[in-house]
Amino acid sequence: MPFVHTFAGNPLDRADARRRDAQWLSDAARSDEARFLPMHHLNVLVESLGGTPHLGWLGADALRWLEVDLPPVFLGIDDAGAPHFAQDISAVHDPSHELNLPEGWTFQESRGAAMGLQGFETGILAQARAQLGWHQRNQFCSVCGGRTRQQKGGHQRKCEACGAEHFPRTDPVAIMLVVDGD
């Protein structure tokens, strides 16, 4: 059986043309079809009732009253056309209480949670965690030191002072699998 990397699958269409349209993104984030994956200090919400754990997607209404001032990161659209976003809610002191989460819904360390998720969800989680982490680390311009702001649904940051554009990058890594025999 061929080896499948845990974080390799992601069924969402990243919809490059859509994420360039600020009005579409705003409307999509307020729509009834929108789904949000909240992350608290890069820990992901997981629903684990009934056996297999799943990503803890919430509707826009569940997060709206939290008054989080960070814009969501657009992850893409599913086959039915529903927009999916990651939302950093790290500013919320006790998100489980504030969201009034039912039994079986918990924030879990992302890498550990991924080991129990279905393959297609791990790719979504990897994208969400990577992009939110990048935004946390890149709030200031590397050219002039000015504050940057999120654009294009979270796929770019732009400096408010000098106009420099910043994009997430993939860090160089080596992934190895050690085997013995066939």
Side-chain angles (χ1 to χ4, degrees), residues 16-77:
D16 182 60
R18 293 287 193 184
R19 71 175 177 237
R20 296 170 187 268
D21 183 343
Q23 186 61 53
W24 183 88
L25 285 169
S26 178
D27 293 344
R30 290 191 313 271
S31 75
D32 290 338
E33 294 80 27
R35 293 294 164 252
F36 291 83
L37 182 62
M39 297 190 78
H40 187 258
H41 299 289
L42 299 179
N43 294 320
V44 66
L45 181 61
V46 175
E47 180 271 312
S48 55
L49 288 177
T52 304
H54 295 282
L55 293 175
W57 294 104
L58 300 176
D61 287 339
L63 296 177
R64 192 169 290 132
W65 65 276
L66 289 180
E67 298 179 14
V68 174
D69 63 352
L70 295 173
V73 170
F74 178 62
L75 298 174
I77 55 177

Side-chain angles (χ1 to χ4, degrees), residues 17 23 42 45 51 56 62 70 75 80 101 106 122 151 162 169 175 177 180:
Q23 186 61 53
L42 299 179
L45 181 61
L70 295 173
L75 298 174
L101 294 175
T106 58
T122 60
Q151 293 191 326
C162 73
R169 64 182 175 81
I175 299 173
L177 175 64
D180 184 11

